[in-house]
Amino acid sequence: MITMLRAALAATAVALGGMLASPATYAQAGSAADEIEKYRQALQDGNPAELWEARGEDLWKKPGGPKNASLERCDLGRGPGVVKGAYAELPKFFADAGRVMDLETRLVWCRVNLQGMTEADARRSPFGSPERKSDNEALTAWITSESKGVAMAVSLDHPKMREAYDVGRAIFFFRGGPHDFACSTCHSEDGKRIRLQDLPNLTVKSGAQRGYTTWPAYRVSQGELRTFQWRLNDCFRQQRFPEIEFGSPASIALTTFLAYNANGAPFAAPAIKR
Amino acid sequence: MADPMKIRATLVGDSTEVRVLMSHEMETGQRKDAAGKTVPAWFIQSVTATHNGKTVLSAQWGPAVAKNPFLSFKFKGGAKGDKVQITWTDNRGEKRTDEATIG
């Protein structure tokens, strides 16, 4: 399987410019990684994610939707209107909705139930582009920023949370698609990378912590702030799986699996990535 | 209208350190859209910073500056509570001014 993965990685690299085309290049991963790290450090100063945070705070407080209501009474799990630290405890089972929700699904729920939007409107364009900015990305940026430094504390006490975790774990290791890939194909070994991107080992605590607590992130290469739902969407694409539906039970299950595995680590996003 | 800038101004010793994030597409004029049509150039052309009404920085930019630019600079002087004002103007003539208080 390793050989197959290498071959697949090399093929991707050749297609995209040949940065990982030979084993010799691969052997230099250490020094390249150091240089990439310097680049990342240089980016830390002045993260444009703050522009999304500012817009998100505004969107949260401003009346909107058919009911002309603000989202300030939205219950993110710590009571209506409590934003501080809320993200570090999500996903969570919400009794009013009768299901487990991550932040982005909960925002859809609040926009429907508090602001009177239709489900379809509240779900429309969750991932923005220069032509169409996404309210979801802005709101998520601000709400997650209010958990910066708070230790991840997702609870599996509710049986539905336990179920979501188990389903998420099963999906993580489920192999399929044209390449017979699972998430674990790319994310269960230390020290791997594709092109210049380190592949975190999401099956160990330190890897899950780093991989989860640094999303949402401003993607320099896209000039956009991306959320965890976007991250999953893009990894499904890399895995050559059918597109995962925004806020679907599968996406929430995977998020629960990864968020719980990150427990204990201080939340560190919105971050900035290449 | 363009989104507000995010400005931080802090007194460090005898100078003021200013950090500004601007929300702008900064289109180079080199990119093509999905239909193959060139996306017209659209970028910030000039930036000025004033402290209590006096210009402390004036810059001319081109299309090589990244999207959502970050600008950091220092000027001598300034006191806590003073105002720092930043204005940018882009090649379409659109303009945006925001202000921060030195802390």
Side-chain angles (χ1 to χ4, degrees), chain B residues 12 22-23 30 38 40 43 49 55 63 78 81 89-90 93:
Chain B
V12 185
M22 305 170 196
S23 177
Q30 310 280 339
T38 303
F43 54 90
T55 302
T89 312
D90 68 21

Side-chain angles (χ1 to χ4, degrees), chain A residues 25 44 50 69 72 112 116 118 127 130 138 178-179 206 227 233 235 254 268:
Chain A
T25 328
Q44 293 310 313
E50 288 184 29
E72 286 167 307
V112 169
T118 65
F127 313 134
H179 291 333
S206 60
T227 64
N233 186 288
C235 273
L254 264 172

Side-chain angles (χ1 to χ4, degrees), chain A residues 24-216:
Chain A
T25 328
Y26 199 80
Q28 295 165 7
S31 61
D34 290 346
E35 292 306 310
I36 297 163
E37 198 43 45
K38 279 190 212 156
Y39 166 69
R40 290 202 181 116
Q41 289 299 325
L43 288 176
Q44 293 310 313
D45 210 13
N47 183 351
E50 288 184 29
L51 298 168
W52 273 254
E53 292 167 24
R55 196 160 66 83
E57 181 173 6
D58 207 46
L59 277 170
W60 177 264
K61 294 177 174 166
K62 204 176 61 187
K67 290 190 189 161
N68 200 33
S70 87
L71 289 168
E72 286 167 307
R73 301 295 301 159
C74 178
D75 183 352
L76 300 172
R78 312 194 73 195
V82 182
V83 178
K84 271 258 176 289
Y87 191 67
E89 294 173 8
L90 290 172
K92 195 176 244 182
F93 177 81
F94 285 90
D96 54 8
R99 61 192 166 104
V100 172
M101 291 170 150
D102 65 348
L103 173 61
E104 293 169 73
T105 327
R106 187 62 182 171
L107 283 171
V108 169
W109 196 89
C110 285
R111 292 167 86 195
V112 169
N113 288 281
L114 297 177
Q115 298 190 311
M117 290 172 92
T118 65
E119 177 95 13
D121 279 344
R123 282 168 168 281
R124 193 159 294 141
S125 25
F127 313 134
S129 62
E131 296 73 36
R132 189 197 281 266
K133 288 189 179 174
S134 149
D135 291 351
N136 173 55
E137 285 171 344
L139 284 163
T140 302
W142 180 63
I143 292 163
T144 56
S145 78
E146 290 286 298
S147 285
K148 232 177 204 172
V150 179
M152 287 297 304
V154 174
S155 161
L156 297 187
D157 288 349
H158 196 282
K160 288 285 179 203
M161 278 297 288
R162 165 56 67 182
E163 182 184 280
Y165 180 88
D166 289 341
V167 169
R169 188 176 190 287
I171 299 174
F172 190 86
F173 290 100
F174 179 83
R175 281 169 59 171
H179 291 333
D180 200 26
F181 276 176
C183 308
S184 55
T185 312
C186 291
H187 291 299
S188 64
E189 276 183 81
D190 291 335
K192 291 266 172 260
R193 68 186 172 97
I194 292 183
R195 289 171 279 145
L196 295 179
Q197 274 61 64
D198 292 322
L199 291 173
N201 180 350
L202 297 173
T203 61
V204 297
K205 188 137 193 106
S206 60
Q209 289 182 328
R210 205 190 84 198
Y212 188 80
T213 59
T214 53
W215 287 90

Side-chain angles (χ1 to χ4, degrees), chain B residues 23-62:
Chain B
S23 177
H24 202 284
E25 285 303 318
M26 301 300 288
E27 276 293 346
T28 60
Q30 310 280 339
R31 218 165 54 86
K32 291 193 166 57
D33 65 14
K37 267 187 33 206
T38 303
V39 182
W42 178 32
F43 54 90
I44 294 175
Q45 254 179 336
S46 76
V47 181
T48 52
T50 60
H51 163 238
N52 288 345
K54 180 175 153 260
T55 302
V56 291
L57 173 134
S58 140
Q60 290 181 359
W61 283 4

